[in-house]
Amino acid sequence: MKTAVEELSPTRVKLTVEVPFEELRPSMDAAYKKVAQQVRVPGFRPGKVPARIIEQRFGRAVVLEETLNDAVPKLYGQAVDEVDVFPVSQPDIEVTKIDDGEQIEFTAEVDVRPSFDVPDYQGAEITVDSAEVADADIEAQLDALRQRFATLTGVERPAATGDYVVMDLRAEIDGENIEEQQASEVSYEVGAGSVLQGLDDALVGMSADEEKSFRTELVGGENAGDEADVIITVKSVKEKVLPELDDEFAQLASEFDTLDELKESIREQVRRTKLIDQVVQARDKALEALLEKIDIPIPESALKAEIDARKHNLEHQIAESGLSRDAYFRLYQTTEEERFAEFETASARAIKVGFVLDKIVKAEELGVSEQELTNFVVRRAMEMGVQPNQLAQHLADNDQLTLAMVEIVRDKAKAVLGDAAKVVDTEGAEVDLKAIYTEINGEEVTEEPAEEAEERKAEA
């Protein structure tokens, strides 16, 4: 087989492949067997029709077509490997020549990863946050813990922001009650930011057994987007009472006997989180610094596929939320146009990141061990709240193990970048990432642990 490469653009090539007919023999034999199973010829059992009879009765073209359908995709894959290009889209294949018994020729146009060099990343200067634990850090954690153990106490006064109310809700359009827009005994924190616009404003100042209506746009159900009158009936008003910070609270909220012991434990947890943050920041910033040095054209087909995937995921999220489109975007304080613009920017960056990290993976000869794959599955299963064996089976059944391994080696490539950088904190102190790896259970940080990630999301 002979393959020639023509560069149509920095992100698209045309392969011209010449194949001697002898290399088609396995596919041709398979084609004769397949056609023999499909045709019926008097005097021959199904699957036992000789090749010459097939050609006499149905023509050689039928066999050649079946042969090419089987052979060309395989030959294309071999050609890609031979010329060392990295396709990022499905090829446009055309058989341009069939010289029966001698050779065939086909062309394949395909979008590819552009050719580029990765600049030297040794010694990149990176600044990360300090890992020093301040008293304010401890107080913030204690306050969050107190919020978890707060109690609600009924009050004989109008509701204020931060109070909890128990209420009934119903909606009317032109005086007609909307059956599906009713709810009873709903507990709600005033000021929490309901997608039902106007609810918080209406609740402030309401007392138990008081009724009030306000006009707003419905956000779910068959009448989503319609203007309606929403009637609130407040059943009770309660205020949040935080527990006192003392030894008794420490015993209630933890395994410690004293508040001082609890504070010391929190201090260590915060320090560990900050150390992990330093590793994550170092890797992310080292990657960002490298990306700024490289100009990589993005294949249009890859960009479109990435954007379409994000749009599809967004549509799924909107459908799962039960909200109208307007209400969904209002909840996240954005618009559809802004989100789509974000998709374009984020998609282009994600593709560029993948290209660069894949180059580093190849240059550093990074791989994935069986234990690393197992650790990945266990960690992901914990984040998703499923059993590891269930997730492993799902990945295997859906041919996603390769994607998992790509994610693992790309994380390792980011680790290479972080390790190669000169890292200091905002106080000017040198940060030794390898010492952090050793301190945190002797394990390398491949990504932000699920617990810290969830805490960060909650804080945001």
Side-chain angles (χ1 to χ4, degrees), residues 301-355:
S301 60
L303 182 60
K304 182 179 183 303
E306 183 71 21
I307 292 173
D308 287 348
R310 291 171 187 256
K311 287 182 177 180
H312 176 78
N313 187 49
L314 174 63
E315 293 300 327
H316 178 72
Q317 291 174 353
I318 294 174
E320 287 290 307
S321 72
L323 302 174
S324 66
R325 296 185 71 83
D326 288 344
Y328 179 88
F329 290 114
R330 189 163 61 243
L331 174 65
Y332 291 97
Q333 299 180 340
T334 186
T335 65
E336 184 170 341
E337 292 74 19
E338 289 173 342
R339 185 63 67 88
F340 284 178
E342 290 171 5
F343 285 171
E344 290 201 27
T345 302
S347 295
R349 185 185 183 280
I351 294 169
K352 184 177 180 180
V353 166
F355 287 168

Side-chain angles (χ1 to χ4, degrees), residues 249-263:
F249 170 70
Q251 295 166 18
L252 170 68
S254 71
E255 72 274 24
F256 301 106
D257 294 326
T258 68
L259 182 60
D260 287 341
E261 290 174 329
L262 174 58
K263 287 182 177 180

Side-chain angles (χ1 to χ4, degrees), residues 11 103 137 194-195 231 257 267 277 279 364 383 396 434 438:
T11 61
Q103 72 172 22
D137 297 321
S194 171
V195 293
I231 298 90
D257 294 326
R267 180 176 295 277
D277 282 346
V279 175
E364 299 287 343
E383 294 172 8
K434 288 186 172 61
T438 302

Side-chain angles (χ1 to χ4, degrees), residues 170-184:
R170 72 178 193 276
E172 295 179 352
I173 297 179
D174 298 330
E176 181 179 345
N177 192 52
I178 308 302
E179 194 69 30
E180 66 173 352
Q181 299 286 350
Q182 297 189 63
S184 300

Side-chain angles (χ1 to χ4, degrees), residues 28 32 35 49-61 63 100:
M28 182 162 285
Y32 277 119
V35 173
V49 184
R52 61 181 180 80
I53 300 299
I54 291 175
E55 291 187 10
Q56 289 174 2
R57 294 181 66 93
F58 304 101
R60 185 168 170 81
V63 178
D100 197 355

